[in-house]
């Protein structure tokens, strides 16, 4: 007859001990190895395999450790937890340690039945992590079963990597390039979204009506929309082109959001994009009533605050301090964002030959526009876009000019003036709010027929002869700026507008195969453009980042087009930006700089150089009118305010018109004499000031106030008490690596960083570290950097409990401590006796593991879980007459150091007396478990913070301790001065 086992109980099977999980049935037990992770869960059939009740073995008096044993075992145990008992189910299992401010959206989400949030934190704060935390928590709690991320095609693989590496979510890419393969694997009538519970969908995928309808019918119950501002249009937006695409996405999201039971997270750093109606449309997706709520009233703002969070760096650079209303700074968290960017505008002048070529090109352009103007509106617009393509490529590089001059204009196939604008604008204007950067870095084409005319071909041939530093002063100036940055230890990115320009720079600056380039022997140069797929781009960046990784003198230069200006994180390998081609919208520069100026950047100051042609007739005026105003607003507000696309294009169109009328030599003042230009600039000033004022008002009026810092502080303290903090993990890693014969170098420079070589450590540990850090790092016994920052590069380890390398170290320490017959060094032991002046009477410290059976309410019914917690309990005297100490006093014993040697025989006698009396402590351990269960129950309820109208969030919630608790370690502390043994410390409790 088979026994029935309750969830959380221990059983022995297959030669090891397991924890019974709630999914078990009498004829099939679902088991997780004791101390193991969910990856090791197995099903066992008692009818066919022997399963028997088990009790956790008591410590062995013959296996004594030193003064470090208790602390190492405790931290190793806590680092290994993947099913913590606290209200945040996911924090114990993810491979990232979130900043305290990143818990705010999670707390907001847990207080909603159906999660609807607009997360609009500033660029680089970590919206992806915030969304990942919410998604992982909803999945872990059973509130969601399927998930999709809707994003731009170029960002899909980065999202896939972030979800897999940081949150353990293995999502399938659903792209235009993968959908055919995925559909071949479907059964008859099956949807992609039924077969693959976690997906990442590119915005180009939903352009197909069939795919769009399939997505809506089988849409997952959790949807994350990245760059959500690109999925709505302002009410006054014109149809067609970008606005038409936005409208298509907006209609899709309206259908997705219509299901009030669907979780929806909208992410964007620019919720306004200069348009109040676009912002309202975004809010309407979150909740329909928010689209019309009175945001001027306190009640309306309070309603919005439940669903909207928007913070800039200054808001979170220092968090949980007295300035946030807390009593002290004990939980203060300082996030190392780079300080203000070092910025400089660097002019260059054309060579005489290039000036003549540009003048001839401008003359041709003026003639062409004048001629086309008399041929009709369609011809005039085609000519206009062809001329802009010609001029922009001409000031970009000789190679871009040569390619454009002999390539047919994209707008040339248009059948109407409106179609010409739809085709020409994306390639020739730098829209701020487009996510369709794919394909926009090609040379746009200036010819209006299949075959370029003789005049264009002649200009193209002349442009080609000017390639190289002798004929191209811009290239020569770039080389000078790069050498200066490289000499100062920077690794810059050079952003270009066109593919031919990027390839030209890489060819001119990089060395031939096996030969040094023009920037130096130890400088590696690579180009990334739209000719590569998103995956190939990431691979090339990683390859460049790995070049000379062991040589601190090695430098990297990445030359890129705007295919990398959004979404791709580059802060780990690069720390400076050069704008080789001046964009025609300052927001594009912000996007470029935001790739390196973000959380995780090791440099305190990112350098930015903006190159502009002093005498090309275009750059200086764009810089003067657009960029200086943009920078002033940014300085005044502390954040960037997007330039409305029509505003930027109005200015640049005026500049081109002026150039065609006056040539390069026209005065700056003459720009304002062009009919309508002054009115355009006045309108720009008004629109921009209005947008800045709205943004300023939004940041203050709609600031996140639904979660008070005290609420966050309480939960941060609870999480750190259960899982450990950064200092504990660092001390553990240092002590464990020393104890396992690692070669550790700690510079003690205040950074908290250190390095370790693990060639002398046990083989089992080396194998585990090789799986996380790379085989070559371990096999070649390279120095492994352990960083205090959780933002690390490949081959490094972060000193956080969720880092895979730290996890591997903790797992080895824990397993070797539990296995008394393990070979090699064992720095942690389950017993210890220490003579110390930290106590005045015989004191025993117990490391106890509690298991809890949790019943969590969810929208789909109750979810049963088994979770673990580790606690320190301490008492004075013998077990039979124990005088129990409070939790703080117990934790302080971990820092106790031996002040005298302990006689081995006396040590064995002392620990034996303690172990023989453990049964006397059962009642106290059970009482503590009940108290801990009550605290956990209160914590779950507090985080969910249900109001009277929302009691279903907590109805049925229950936390039950599983008996008996496991005593993992017992450590006796003997007073160095026995004469003081009668003194009772202040920490004693009844």
């Amino acid at each position: 007859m088979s026994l029935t086992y309750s969830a959380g109980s221990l059983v022995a099977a297959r030669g090891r001990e397991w924890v019974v999980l709630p999914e078990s049935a009498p004829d099939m037990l679902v088991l997780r190895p004791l101390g193991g992770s969910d990856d090791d869960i197995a099903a066992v059939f008692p009818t066919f395999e022997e399963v028997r009740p088990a009790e956790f073995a008591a410590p062995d008096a013959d296996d004594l450790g030193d003064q470090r044993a208790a602390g190492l075992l405790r931290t190793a145990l806590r680092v290994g937890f993947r099913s913590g008992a606290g209200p945040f189910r996911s924090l114990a299992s993810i491979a990232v340690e979130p900043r305290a401010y990143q818990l705010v959206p999670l707390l907001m989400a847990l207080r909603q039945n159906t999660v609807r949030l607009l997360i609009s934190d500033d660029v680089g704060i970590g919206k992806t992590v915030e969304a990942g935390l919410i998604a992982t928590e909803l999945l872990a709690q059973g509130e969601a079963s399927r998930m999709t991320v809707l994003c731009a095609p170029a960002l899909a693989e980065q999202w896939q990597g972030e979800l897999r590496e940081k949150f353990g979510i293995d999502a399938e890419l659903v792209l235009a390039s993968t959908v055919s393969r995925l559909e071949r694997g479907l059964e008859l009538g099956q949807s992609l979204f039924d077969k693959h519970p976690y997906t990442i969908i590119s915005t180009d995928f939903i352009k197909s009506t069939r795919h769009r309808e399939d997505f809506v019918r089988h849409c997952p119950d959790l949807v994350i929309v990245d760059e959500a501002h690109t999925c709505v249009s302002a009410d006054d937006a014109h149809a067609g082109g970008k606005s038409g695409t936005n409208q298509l996405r907006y209609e899709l999201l309206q259908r997705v959001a219509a299901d009030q039971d669907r979780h929806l997270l909208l992410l964007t750093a620019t919720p306004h994009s200069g348009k109040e109606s676009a912002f309202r449309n975004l809010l309407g997706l979150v909740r329909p009533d928010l689209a019309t709520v009175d945001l001027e009233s306190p009640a309306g703002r309070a309603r919005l605050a439940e669903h909207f969070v928007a913070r800039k760096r200054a808001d979170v650079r220092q968090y949980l301090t007295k300035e946030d209303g807390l009593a002290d700074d004990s939980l203060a968290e300082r996030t190392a964002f780079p300080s203000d960017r070092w910025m400089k505008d660097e002019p260059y002048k054309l060579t005489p030959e290039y000036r003549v070529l540009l003048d001839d090109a401008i003359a041709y352009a003026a003639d062409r526009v004048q001629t086309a103007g008399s041929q009709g509106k369609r011809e005039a617009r085609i000519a206009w876009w062809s001329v802009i393509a010609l001029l922009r490529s001409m000031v970009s590089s000789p190679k871009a000019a040569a390619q454009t001059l002999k390539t047919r204009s994209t707008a040339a196939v248009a059948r109407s003036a409106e179609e010409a604008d739809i085709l020409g604008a994306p390639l020739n204007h730098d829209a701020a709010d487009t996510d369709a950067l794919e394909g926009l870095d090609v040379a746009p084409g200036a010819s209006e027929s299949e075959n370029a005319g003789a005049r264009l071909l002649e200009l193209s041939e002349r442009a080609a002869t000017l390639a190289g530093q002798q004929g191209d002063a811009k290239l020569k100036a770039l080389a000078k700026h790069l050498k200066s940055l490289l000499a100062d230890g920077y690794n810059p990115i050079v952003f270009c507008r066109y593919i031919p320009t990027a390839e030209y720079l890489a060819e001119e600056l990089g060395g031939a195969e096996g030969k040094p380039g023009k920037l130096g022997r130890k400088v590696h140069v690579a180009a990334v453009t739209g000719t590569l797929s998103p995956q190939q781009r990431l691979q090339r960046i990683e390859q460049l980042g790995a070049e000379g990784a062991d040589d601190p003198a090695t430098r990297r230069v990445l030359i890129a087009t705007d295919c990398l200006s959004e979404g791709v994180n580059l802060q780990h390998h690069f720390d400076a930006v050069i704008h080789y081609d001046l964009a025609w919208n300052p927001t594009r520069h912000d996007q470029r700089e935001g790739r390196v100026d973000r959380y995780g950047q090791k440099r305190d100051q990112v350098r930015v150089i903006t190159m502009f042609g002093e005498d090309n007739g275009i750059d200086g005026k764009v810089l003067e009118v657009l960029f200086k105003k943009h920078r002033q607003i940014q300085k005044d507000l502390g954040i960037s305010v997007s330039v409305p696309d029509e505003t930027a294009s109005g200015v640049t169109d005026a500049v081109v018109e002026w150039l065609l009328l006056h040539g390069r030599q026209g005065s700056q003042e003459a720009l304002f004499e062009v009919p309508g230009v002054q009115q355009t600039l006045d309108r720009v000033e008004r629109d921009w000031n209005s947008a800045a004022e709205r943004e300023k008002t939004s940041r203050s009026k709609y600031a996140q106030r639904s979660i008070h810092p005290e609420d966050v502080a309480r939960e941060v303290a609870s999480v750190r008490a259960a899982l450990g903090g950064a200092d504990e993990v660092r001390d553990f890693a240092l002590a464990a690596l020393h104890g396992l014969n690692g070669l550790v170098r700690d510079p003690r420079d205040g950074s908290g960083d250190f390095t370790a070589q693990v060639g002398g450590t046990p083989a089992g540990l080396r194998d585990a570290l090789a799986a996380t850090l790379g085989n070559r790092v371990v096999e070649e016994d390279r120095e492994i950097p352990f960083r205090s920052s959780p933002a690390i590069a490949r081959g490094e380890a972060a000193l956080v409990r969720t880092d895979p390398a730290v996890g591997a170290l903790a797992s080895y320490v824990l397993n070797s401590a539990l296995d008394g017959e393990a070979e090699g060094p064992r720095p942690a032991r389950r017993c210890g006796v220490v003579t110390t002046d930290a106590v005045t009477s015989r004191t025993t410290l117990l490391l106890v593991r509690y298991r809890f059976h949790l019943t969590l309410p969810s929208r789909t019914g109750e979810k049963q879980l088994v979770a673990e917690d580790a606690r320190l309990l301490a008492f004075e005297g013998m077990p039979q007459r124990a005088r129990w100490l409070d939790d703080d006093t117990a934790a302080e014993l971990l820092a106790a150091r031996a002040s005298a040697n302990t006689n081995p025989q006396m040590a064995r006698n002392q620990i034996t007396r303690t172990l023989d009396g453990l049964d006397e402590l059962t009642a106290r351990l059970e009482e503590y478990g009940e108290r801990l269960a009550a605290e956990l129950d209160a914590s779950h309820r507090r985080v969910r913070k249900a109001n009277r109208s929302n009691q279903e969030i907590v109805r049925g919630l229950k936390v039950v301790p599983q008996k008996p608790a496991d005593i993992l370690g017992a450590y006796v502390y003997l007073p160095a001065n026995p004469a003081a043994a009668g003194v009772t410390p202040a920490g004693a409790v009844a």
Side-chain angles (χ1 to χ4, degrees):
M1 179 178 176
S2 61
L3 297 174
T4 300
Y5 299 98
S6 62
S9 59
L10 284 183
V11 297
R14 300 181 182 177
R16 65 188 304 182
E17 294 171 332
W18 307 75
V19 178
V20 178
L21 299 183
E23 297 85 351
S24 297
D27 59 343
M28 184 189 76
L29 298 179
V30 181
L31 308 175
R32 183 178 64 225
L34 187 61
S37 69
D38 288 348
D39 294 336
D40 304 317
I41 289 176
V44 174
F45 296 90
T47 304
F48 305 107
E49 298 183 66
E50 181 185 4
V51 180
R52 65 181 187 278
E55 289 188 3
F56 192 74
D60 186 350
D62 292 325
D63 192 24
L64 293 175
D66 59 19
Q67 60 191 8
R68 303 171 303 167
L72 284 171
L73 184 57
R74 178 209 191 200
T75 304
L77 178 67
R78 301 205 300 178
V79 168
F81 281 160
R82 292 296 179 264
S83 54
F88 303 115
R89 296 289 304 147
S90 62
L91 293 191
S93 61
I94 60 176
V96 61
E97 184 168 316
R99 313 300 291 169
Y101 67 80
Q102 291 174 329
L103 295 179
V104 169
L106 176 59
L107 284 167
M108 294 172 67
L110 292 180
R111 296 179 181 184
Q112 300 178 19
N113 253 345
T114 300
V115 179
R116 293 292 179 98
L117 290 179
L118 174 56
I119 302 176
S120 299
D121 286 340
D122 205 0
V123 173
I125 282 182
K127 291 183 291 296
T128 302
V129 169
E130 292 169 345
L133 284 171
I134 295 171
T136 310
E137 193 68 31
L138 292 176
L139 293 170
Q141 293 193 9
E143 294 290 343
S145 58
R146 297 183 298 137
M147 179 198 76
T148 195
V149 176
L150 186 64
C151 66
L155 306 183
E157 296 198 21
Q158 180 165 291
W159 265 100
Q160 184 185 45
E162 291 276 306
L163 290 176
R164 180 193 300 121
E165 295 165 12
K166 293 181 178 177
F167 300 100
I169 298 174
D170 196 5
E172 189 71 48
L173 290 179
V174 183
L175 314 174
S177 59
T178 66
V179 65
S180 296
R181 171 181 59 81
L182 294 174
E183 288 181 335
R184 285 196 296 270
L186 299 177
E187 297 177 5
L188 185 63
Q190 187 180 31
S191 167
L192 278 174
F193 308 103
D194 291 331
K195 180 168 184 177
H196 304 287
Y198 311 133
T199 53
I200 298 169
I201 307 175
S202 70
T203 48
D204 60 354
F205 170 84
I206 60 168
K207 291 178 182 177
S208 159
T209 302
R210 179 173 67 86
H211 293 147
R212 189 164 62 248
E213 293 303 317
D214 183 46
F215 175 67
V216 172
R217 283 196 302 271
H218 303 276
C219 186
D221 48 7
L222 169 58
V223 176
I224 300 172
V225 184
D226 194 18
E227 303 295 345
H229 61 279
T230 68
C231 297
V232 295
S233 295
D235 293 341
D236 59 352
H238 300 294
K242 172 173 64 67
S243 298
T245 302
N246 285 13
Q247 186 64 27
L248 188 67
R249 298 174 190 155
Y250 181 45
E251 291 170 358
L252 171 76
L253 287 185
Q254 284 181 307
R255 297 171 67 185
V256 168
D259 184 345
Q260 293 301 308
D261 291 330
R262 178 169 290 120
H263 304 296
L264 183 63
L265 303 178
L266 303 180
L267 315 181
T268 173
T270 53
H272 287 86
S273 295
K275 295 284 187 178
E276 180 67 17
S277 59
F279 177 54
R280 287 287 188 164
N281 287 340
L282 268 178
L283 294 182
L285 291 175
V286 177
R287 286 187 63 92
D289 59 297
L290 292 179
T292 56
V293 71
D294 179 12
L295 296 179
E296 297 302 315
S297 69
R301 293 197 293 271
R303 188 80 181 97
L304 175 63
E306 296 176 6
H307 301 276
F308 180 51
V309 55
R311 298 164 295 180
K312 56 187 180 181
R313 291 186 186 185
D315 299 328
V316 297
R317 192 184 296 274
Q318 296 191 54
Y319 190 53
L320 300 185
T321 66
K322 288 191 287 187
E323 292 182 3
D324 294 312
L326 272 66
D328 54 47
D329 290 339
S330 60
L331 292 172
E333 185 176 78
R334 291 166 178 81
T335 302
F337 294 113
S339 58
D340 291 341
R341 300 167 191 168
W342 179 96
M343 305 185 74
K344 190 173 184 182
D345 299 330
E346 290 284 5
Y348 65 90
K349 286 191 174 182
L350 302 172
T351 61
E353 296 83 1
Y354 216 122
R355 280 199 297 270
V356 172
L357 173 66
L358 182 56
D359 286 338
D360 290 346
I362 293 171
Y364 165 81
D367 290 345
R368 183 70 199 97
V369 168
Q370 185 175 7
T371 302
S374 63
Q375 295 174 339
K377 193 173 181 181
R378 168 187 172 275
E379 288 72 14
R381 297 310 295 169
I382 292 174
W384 176 253
W385 295 118
S386 300
V387 162
I388 289 183
L390 183 155
L391 296 176
R392 293 203 69 179
S393 62
M394 189 68 71
V395 299
S396 176
S397 71
K399 283 293 179 71
Q403 181 67 40
T404 296
L405 287 163
K406 61 185 179 183
T407 301
R408 190 182 188 193
S409 169
T410 307
V413 299
R415 291 168 292 184
S416 65
E418 292 75 17
E419 188 178 357
D421 289 343
I422 291 173
L423 295 174
L427 283 174
N428 294 288
H429 280 160
D430 298 323
D433 62 347
T434 181
D435 68 338
L437 292 175
E438 292 301 302
L440 298 189
D441 53 0
V442 298
S447 174
E448 296 169 36
S449 61
E450 288 289 350
N451 300 311
R455 195 170 174 188
L456 287 180
L457 287 176
E458 185 262 338
L459 290 172
S460 174
E461 291 169 0
R462 288 168 59 189
T465 65
L466 296 177
Q469 293 194 29
Q470 184 173 351
D472 185 1
K474 185 180 181 183
L475 171 63
K476 186 175 182 180
L478 172 65
K480 182 187 75 172
H481 301 319
L482 284 173
K483 288 178 180 177
S484 176
L485 288 172
L486 295 168
D488 289 342
Y490 281 83
N491 297 289
I493 303 176
V494 180
F495 276 106
C496 310
R497 182 63 176 81
Y498 300 116
I499 292 171
T501 300
E503 293 175 343
Y504 162 66
L505 296 183
E507 181 182 337
E508 289 289 332
L509 299 174
E513 190 68 32
K515 296 182 179 179
K518 296 177 183 177
L519 298 176
R521 184 170 55 85
K522 291 192 174 184
V523 178
H524 299 272
V525 180
V528 172
T529 70
T531 59
L532 302 176
S533 70
Q535 182 179 15
Q536 290 171 325
R537 294 170 204 169
L538 296 178
Q539 289 173 345
R540 183 163 294 185
I541 292 166
E542 288 298 324
Q543 289 169 0
L544 181 60
E547 292 283 2
D550 297 331
D551 185 355
T554 296
R555 297 287 174 265
R556 299 175 292 276
V557 175
L558 175 64
I559 300 169
T561 62
D562 284 317
C563 71
L564 290 186
S565 68
E566 278 202 289
V568 180
N569 299 330
L570 303 171
Q571 71 271 28
H572 299 311
H573 299 310
F574 306 97
D575 45 26
V577 171
I578 295 181
H579 301 290
Y580 188 72
D581 288 333
L582 190 72
W584 281 12
N585 191 321
T587 305
R588 182 62 57 83
H589 281 219
D590 283 341
Q591 292 166 344
R592 293 171 175 178
E593 294 158 18
R595 298 307 95 217
V596 298
D597 187 2
R598 58 195 302 112
Y599 175 60
Q601 173 59 255
K602 293 183 176 66
R603 287 271 186 185
D604 179 59
Q605 189 176 67
V606 170
R607 289 192 183 181
V608 178
I609 293 175
T610 301
M611 296 180 62
F612 71 98
E614 199 171 23
D615 58 350
N616 65 23
I618 299 176
D619 287 356
K621 295 170 183 60
V622 173
L623 192 69
E624 180 70 27
V625 177
L626 284 177
F627 279 80
K628 292 191 176 178
K629 175 69 174 176
H630 181 71
R631 292 168 182 171
Q632 186 60 47
I633 291 176
Q634 190 172 32
K635 182 179 179 182
D636 293 343
L637 292 185
I639 55 171
S640 175
V641 176
S642 295
V643 188
D645 290 337
E646 57 271 26
T647 298
S649 61
V651 171
T652 52
D653 286 354
V655 170
V656 172
E657 288 182 24
W658 170 89
L659 183 68
L660 297 181
L661 282 173
H662 297 275
R664 289 185 307 104
Q665 305 302 322
S667 67
Q668 175 76 23
E669 290 74 18
L671 171 62
F672 304 99
E673 297 171 4
V674 175
V677 168
Q678 186 60 55
Q679 291 90 324
T680 297
L681 297 180
D682 290 342
R683 188 180 70 251
V684 168
E685 184 82 9
R686 288 194 305 271
D687 291 349
W688 214 340
N689 286 336
S690 176
E693 188 59 35
R694 281 198 304 272
E695 188 65 36
K696 183 178 180 180
T697 301
S698 170
R699 293 281 170 166
S700 58
K701 187 182 292 185
Y702 311 142
Q704 195 293 123
R705 295 190 179 96
S706 65
I707 304 295
H708 193 275
E710 285 185 358
D711 297 339
V712 181
R714 186 185 298 113
E715 303 314 324
V716 167
S718 176
V719 168
R720 290 179 182 174
L723 303 178
D727 290 342
E728 178 185 339
V729 173
R730 183 182 187 276
D731 293 344
F732 165 78
L734 276 171
L737 287 166
H738 274 301
L740 291 167
N741 298 332
L743 181 58
V744 179
R745 294 181 178 86
D746 183 1
R748 302 180 187 276
D749 57 2
S751 69
D753 297 353
F754 64 86
T755 63
Q757 292 173 259
V758 297
T761 63
L765 176 61
R766 294 200 307 273
D767 291 343
L769 291 175
T772 64
L773 297 170
N775 287 324
R776 291 183 61 186
V777 172
V778 175
E779 290 173 359
E780 298 174 9
D781 200 16
R782 299 179 184 176
E783 285 193 341
I784 301 169
F786 284 78
R787 307 287 190 194
S788 58
S789 168
I792 55 169
R794 190 179 299 277
E796 299 180 344
L799 291 169
V800 296
R801 62 175 303 279
T802 50
D803 182 86
V806 172
L809 183 61
S811 178
Y812 188 86
V813 169
L814 177 61
N815 290 336
S816 64
L818 297 179
D819 183 2
E821 298 181 1
E823 297 181 358
R826 297 169 57 231
R829 304 292 178 93
R830 297 184 62 193
C831 290
V833 178
V834 180
T835 300
T836 177
D837 54 15
V839 299
T840 55
S841 64
R842 184 185 192 276
T843 304
T844 301
L845 178 68
L846 301 177
L847 176 59
V848 184
R849 174 171 54 197
Y850 286 96
R851 292 187 301 282
F852 300 93
H853 183 189
L854 275 67
T855 303
L856 299 179
S858 73
R859 299 186 307 170
T860 57
E862 293 181 345
K863 188 174 180 66
Q864 306 291 323
L865 301 168
V866 171
E868 297 174 317
D869 202 348
R871 293 297 167 125
L872 294 170
L873 286 78
F875 62 88
E876 287 184 316
M878 300 303 296
Q880 296 80 359
R881 296 180 301 278
R883 298 186 301 277
W884 291 93
L885 307 178
D886 61 38
D887 291 349
D888 291 340
T889 306
E892 289 170 1
L893 289 172
L894 292 176
R897 293 292 174 260
S899 54
N901 292 329
T902 305
N903 179 278
Q905 185 57 48
M906 183 177 75
R908 191 179 187 287
N909 291 341
Q910 290 287 345
I911 195 65
T912 299
R913 294 172 66 191
T914 295
L915 297 178
D916 288 346
L918 289 181
D919 289 344
E920 303 288 341
L921 307 176
T922 300
R924 171 67 179 188
L925 296 184
E926 290 184 355
E927 175 193 336
Y928 190 93
E930 295 286 354
R931 191 181 86 194
L932 190 54
E935 291 175 358
L936 289 168
D937 183 281
S939 179
H940 279 271
R941 294 176 187 274
R942 183 176 65 243
V943 165
R944 295 173 180 228
K945 204 170 186 177
N947 54 43
R948 291 183 179 179
S949 63
N950 203 19
Q951 284 296 314
E952 61 267 27
I953 287 183
V954 295
R955 185 177 292 118
L957 194 153
K958 189 184 300 182
V959 183
V960 178
Q962 181 68 36
K963 303 173 184 178
D966 301 330
I967 298 178
L968 271 81
Y971 308 90
V972 176
Y973 296 83
L974 301 175
N977 181 10
V983 180
T984 301
V989 295

